[in-house]
Amino acid sequence: MRPRPHMRVLWPIVAGGLFVVAACLGAGRPAPAAPPPTVDLLPKALEGPMAGVEEIVFAARPIGHDPHWYANIGYYGPDANRKAYMEGGRLCRLNLKTGKITVLVDDPKGGVRDPCVHYDGKTIVFAYRKGGTENYHLHEINADGTGLRQLTDGEYDDFEPTYIPDGDIIFVSTRCKRWVNCWLTQVAIMYRCGPQGENVHPISCNGEHDNTPWPLPDGRILYMRWEYVDRSQVNFHHLWAANPDGTGQVAYFGNMYPGIVMIDAKPIPGTDKVVAIFSPGHGRKEHMGRVTIVDPNAGPDRPSYAKEISRSGDCRDPYAFSEDCFLVASPQGILLMDGHGATQVLCRPTDALEFHEPRPLVPHPREKIVPPRIDPSQNTGRMVLADVTVGRNMDGVKPGEIKKLLVLEILPIPVHFSGGMEPISMGGTFTLERILGTVPVEPDGSAYFEVPALRPVFFVAMDENDNAVKRMQSWCTVEPGETTGCAGCHEERSHVSPLKGNLQALGRAPSRIAPVSGIPDVYDFPRDIQPILDRHCLKCHDLDHRKANLELTGDRGPLYSHSYFTLTVFGQIADGRNAFANRPPRSIGASASKLMQKIDGSHHDVKVSDEERKKVRFWIESGAPYPGTYAALGSGMIGAYQENDLVRTDAGWPTVAAAQEVLARRCDSCHNAKSPLPRSLSDDGRALPPEGRRTFMSRHLAFNLTRPEKSQFVMGPLSEAAGGYGTCKARTPAAFPGKPAADIFVDTKDPDYQKLLAMIVAGKTWLDEYKRFDMPGFRPYAPYVREMKRYGILAATLGPNDPVDPYATDRAYWQSFWYVPPKP
């Protein structure tokens, strides 16, 4: 994923982070020397770590067209007829001694992926999309190709299955009904079912992908977790582990080091190590990257304990027999690789289908069985925090300073269209966050409290004045009835916090989350924050005053209101800004936001009520969103993005062509390449430096689609005598050096003024017809309605002109995920 024009001001930081990680984890190192021309690894392997292995099973399918590692199932949000998957699939068996390939399943219009061999070596579970159908489902087949049977069904994709020792199957599925926050495809998280596909239920609750689960020898499940909570969306995809019932979710390796997708991890027999693919940056399609051995014995945060062994970055799906023997898939075919990266090609593709997921077709021992640790009769779990002052980057936080934890919930997204965060935020959060309430922290720093089960939550540590001291930019969860905990806040996972006596919080029953009175649980800027600005700020920052050249009206620009854009891009809100995590204390959130200082009475006597200050504070703590509904996505925006490309909504408008002619003739002599004006309502100013794109010359402030005649675009060149700003003047001819600069437009009757204004009026007319989320008569983008019908939230009989309450629809969607204990 590439950065947006309005994100590029942050990208040098992100790119620098990628460089550091590449240096640490090896993604940027030169490849080792090429292997000898001929390498014959197989005979030695069959005598040693592969003894008894005569055949392997693998899948064959074409490589997808989407560059994202996860976008190879389902369809795209804006257009359900556009598929992310490719057609053509086989399940194959290879005899290692004869080289003979036996095809078990062949479907030229279907898809085959993710085979996993049962412990008995006689049965294979895999994901299969039959030709002419939409979805992958779990299937089993005997190793000789007989007995094909379907295990799961429905209108969602089930894939990446793995057997677990008690007989069940863990897999990932899009039946979680959510979409990638920064792309146009569906999310899959971990599910579990019985051996016949019965009792399907989730064991994770991520808002983004959980992928490639595989059992560890100790019975836990190793998987890749992708996450971003008010931090970079392209940098955190690391290895996690959990018990097979979903309890005990914990970082396994790499979460402190952004810039590597760690995926397809599996244990190396006879060791504590695992082999994985480390795919650089935001990852490559179909999980391609470098084969890497990971040793977790130094803890999850030691990059030197990850050792690359492959000599190229186009490997995928490694399977380990030992530290010196691996099966690997690549564009060349199925490879045998040793611990130094030397390879032997075992079989090559002969058509457009590439090979994937090689596995030995042999019996293998079961892992340890981890007994269930959940109580399905409960709809909550409990969390224990030993000492909130313990952890990385906690310097200056004094014992007893933190009085409470603010508990927030990440809200899943029902569908996506752009690839970016707009209009949820301007370069900040991708996700709406619900404020659940607060729980107390005891004087010794401990806390003990209940949280709702199977919902992703995170915390903000607050002092006695509700100022944010430390913010969690990740998330955690509990299963029904689970009790889990941590040593501190961003603590070192390999360190143990010394306990000084019994934790005070454990001397009582667990706290229940107390709602915060007087605030909404999900914020909506026009509804909740703009009225406060109207009451206290417009006397100086209205369109007719604009002190410090700032305006805080709720008037609409092409994507955002002028006030929302102004507050975010002029740095009034410290909300994470889509960068990295674990900031120093008090450097993120309301306590670090200049806006809070502006409303405390010290800024020109502006002093809001306690209730208003609280409302602003908790808006910032919940990510400072613009809309309070995901129905705002894909609607009411001129010059929005799709697949990270700017959509020029007003391309072809006659008023735009006429205005551009005026700009060329009367404006461009001054507004040259260093300070060009936006050429239309959709022009994001790619020629501008970042500060220009984001501030005064931005289209988001230049055009007013509520009151077009008040747009800076026409007020600047209009004379003060005619009611304009008169800030843009014609150049004085060189022959008359003492002559005062003339106004561009003396009055509004100038035909060129009228042409510029007509372009903005056309934008208002467009917006009045298509509407934004905060406008009367708004109806969400049709694909949003399509998905809400699919989920059963909106009635299937809803007509194209029937009204839709976007806020109520979102709430019903979110509540559909709440865990409800089964009836006795």
Side-chain angles (χ1 to χ4, degrees), residues 629-635 777-785 794 802-806 809:
T629 170
Y630 286 127
L633 294 164
S635 59
F778 167 75
R779 197 175 196 275
Y781 189 28
Y784 171 93
V785 176
L794 292 175
D802 292 339
V804 174
D805 182 335
T809 303

Side-chain angles (χ1 to χ4, degrees), residues 529-542:
I529 303 302
Q530 187 60 49
I532 300 173
L533 303 178
D534 291 345
R535 285 191 290 271
H536 298 284
C537 303
L538 294 193
K539 62 183 179 181
C540 294
H541 300 293
D542 200 350

Side-chain angles (χ1 to χ4, degrees), residues 191-258:
Y191 279 74
R192 178 171 170 165
C193 70
Q196 305 304 318
E198 75 278 14
N199 190 28
V200 174
H201 61 280
I203 59 170
S204 67
C205 60
N206 198 352
E208 294 293 351
H209 280 275
D210 291 330
N211 282 126
T212 60
W214 200 270
L216 289 165
D218 63 11
R220 293 183 299 159
I221 304 300
L222 182 65
Y223 63 100
M224 188 225 71
R225 170 166 143 175
W226 180 21
E227 62 167 48
Y228 45 98
V229 180
D230 302 335
R231 60 176 177 170
S232 170
Q233 80 274 23
V234 296
N235 281 294
F236 295 89
H237 334 67
H238 298 106
L239 297 181
W240 285 67
N243 296 319
D245 60 0
T247 60
Q249 295 186 23
V250 65
Y252 184 87
F253 190 82
N255 198 44
M256 286 294 295
Y257 298 95

Side-chain angles (χ1 to χ4, degrees), residues 518-709:
I519 66 168
D521 60 344
V522 180
Y523 271 90
D524 184 273
F525 181 87
R527 182 193 66 202
D528 302 317
I529 303 302
Q530 187 60 49
I532 300 173
L533 303 178
D534 291 345
R535 285 191 290 271
H536 298 284
C537 303
L538 294 193
K539 62 183 179 181
C540 294
H541 300 293
D542 200 350
L543 294 174
D544 294 325
H545 302 93
R546 298 179 69 250
K547 287 190 176 180
N549 289 324
L550 299 177
E551 63 163 289
L552 294 175
T553 73
D555 290 12
R556 299 179 185 92
L559 269 72
Y560 309 94
S561 71
H562 285 198
S563 55
Y564 183 82
F565 183 84
T566 297
L567 290 176
T568 56
V569 302
F570 284 94
Q572 300 302 299
I573 301 161
D575 60 347
R577 302 277 39 137
N578 192 29
F580 292 143
N582 198 8
R583 309 287 186 84
R586 300 185 183 275
S587 64
I588 186 172
S591 60
S593 296
K594 297 177 182 178
L595 179 59
M596 295 304 298
Q597 302 167 17
K598 300 273 195 315
I599 61 175
D600 66 0
S602 62
H603 179 71
H604 300 289
D605 299 322
V606 174
K607 187 169 178 61
V608 305
S609 69
D610 292 342
E611 292 77 12
E612 291 170 321
R613 186 179 302 105
K614 177 195 277 191
K615 191 169 279 191
V616 173
R617 178 187 307 281
F618 284 95
W619 169 67
I620 297 172
E621 299 302 356
S622 62
Y626 180 42
T629 170
Y630 286 127
L633 294 164
S635 59
M637 296 180 285
I638 298 178
Y641 287 82
Q642 189 162 312
E643 299 189 40
N644 287 313
D645 288 328
L646 181 66
V647 177
R648 295 192 176 274
T649 312
D650 51 3
W653 290 6
T655 54
V656 171
Q660 289 177 346
E661 186 277 328
V662 173
L663 293 174
R665 179 165 40 84
R666 300 193 66 174
C667 303
D668 285 354
S669 61
C670 291
H671 291 280
N672 51 31
K674 292 184 178 180
S675 59
L677 294 170
R679 315 301 290 183
S680 76
L681 282 70
S682 294
D683 182 10
D684 245 345
R686 292 173 183 265
L688 287 172
E691 61 273 14
R693 281 198 299 268
R694 299 171 62 87
T695 54
F696 295 108
M697 287 176 282
S698 166
R699 66 187 177 107
H700 300 290
L701 293 178
F703 303 115
N704 188 318
L705 303 187
T706 303
R707 293 177 281 178
E709 72 282 358

Side-chain angles (χ1 to χ4, degrees), residues 715-778:
M715 291 288 281
L718 182 63
S719 69
E720 291 185 80
Y725 300 149
T727 53
C728 194
K729 304 286 188 180
R731 281 183 173 174
T732 301
F736 303 97
K739 184 177 179 180
D743 293 311
I744 302 294
F745 300 130
V746 176
D747 56 42
T748 59
K749 296 178 182 179
D750 189 307
D752 287 343
Y753 169 91
Q754 291 294 328
K755 290 177 182 178
L756 297 183
L757 179 62
M759 176 177 68
I760 308 169
V761 170
K764 180 182 187 303
T765 302
W766 182 94
L767 186 56
D768 287 343
E769 178 180 356
Y770 291 101
K771 302 188 185 304
R772 194 167 293 172
F773 68 94
D774 60 336
M775 298 173 68
F778 167 75

